[in-house]
Amino acid sequence: SSTVGLTTDTAPITLNLNGITLNNLSDFNTTTSRTVTLSSNLSVGGTFAFSSTTGTQTWNGFTITTAGSVSMAGLTSGIVTGTSILSRTGGTLSMNASVTTGSLRLPITFAGNSTVSGAIKYRTGTITYSSGTITSTGSTLDIIASSTLTTNGMTWNAITVSATSTLTLGSNLAVTTMTWSAAVTFAGAYDVTIGTLSATTAGLTHTLVAGETYSVTTALTMTGTSGSLIVLQSSSASTYSYFPLTPGATMSVSYVSAKDIDSSGGRRIV
């Protein structure tokens, strides 16, 4: 039941714990910034807790494998970044609701049964699914800068694009509820299946990859204003992106301009 704690200090730290699994690990460095360099893989069997309220914690080097929970309860405007891959093999990945401008920027791999909880603010990183059952009920992945998702095989509960971003796909994407609160540009030649899609910020342009299919299966809400249309466009002029609405799905669409968008494969969108 012991916990290894990294104290509040700006001095860089190097960890070489190859072959050792820590029970719990806490980064107590709350208000200052620091770099932790891993010279071997790091394994945490219990809770890995970040408490960086305002500082930037940079983790570089080898992979961090976490079989238990990863908690960012202390994060408000702090940042967790670096090149180390956060490999999730169990437990819960959670972020406190009080997080404002803070974010998680480490590459993440899901490689075992685990849970995503709360609103995970994610920025400029890559999230990859490889195996296991991922439970994301009630959670939201909040994209606050351009990121990459390679998560075919799992379904996200909710994804919100809350800052202008390019969302690069390395595989097909499935999400129950998706909200485009800011302009989103998709990249990557993969299809997207969305249960409920909401885009209600007038004046934004959303760009889909030419030749790819973005299916909405449950409900579509896309509302601009008479003086500030929402634009839905293909990434390539004269080459369609496909945007079918499943028959039986509901819709509320007004003041939308579609450019090189083909929705003929589903319910007519009016």
Side-chain angles (χ1 to χ4, degrees), residues 116 118-120 122 127 136 138-145 147-151 154-162 165 167 169 172-182 184 186 192-199:
V116 180
I120 306 298
Y122 197 71
I127 301 177
S136 61
S139 69
T140 299
L141 178 65
D142 188 357
I143 303 294
I144 59 175
S147 300
T148 299
L149 299 180
T150 304
T151 56
M154 65 171 284
T155 299
W156 292 96
N157 177 68
I159 296 176
T160 295
V161 180
S162 60
S165 302
L167 187 55
L169 302 181
N172 292 341
L173 174 68
V175 54
T176 302
T177 301
M178 194 167 196
T179 303
W180 298 345
S181 299
V184 58
F186 284 90
V192 179
T193 302
I194 304 167
T196 297
L197 174 60
S198 177

Side-chain angles (χ1 to χ4, degrees), residues 230-269:
I230 290 176
V231 176
L232 183 66
Q233 66 180 16
S234 170
S235 61
S236 178
S238 302
T239 303
Y240 288 121
S241 298
Y242 299 95
F243 190 72
L245 179 63
T246 298
T250 62
M251 66 175 150
S252 175
V253 178
S254 59
Y255 300 110
V256 175
S257 173
K259 298 180 180 180
D260 300 305
I261 299 295
D262 182 352
S263 295
S264 62
R267 179 182 176 185
R268 184 183 179 193
I269 299 175

Side-chain angles (χ1 to χ4, degrees), residues 116-141:
V116 180
S117 176
I120 306 298
K121 292 185 179 294
Y122 197 71
R123 184 183 182 97
T124 63
T126 298
I127 301 177
T128 303
Y129 168 84
S130 63
S131 64
T133 299
I134 310 303
T135 303
S136 61
T137 306
S139 69
T140 299
L141 178 65

Side-chain angles (χ1 to χ4, degrees), residues 7-9 27-33 51-57 74 78:
T7 60
T8 302
D9 196 348
D27 188 345
F28 296 115
N29 207 26
T30 57
T31 59
T32 56
S33 298
S51 302
S52 180
T53 54
T54 57
T56 297
Q57 307 311 313

Side-chain angles (χ1 to χ4, degrees), residues 206-221:
H206 307 296
T207 304
L208 311 181
V209 176
E212 301 309 315
T213 300
Y214 299 77
S215 303
V216 179
T217 62
T218 302
L220 172 64
T221 301

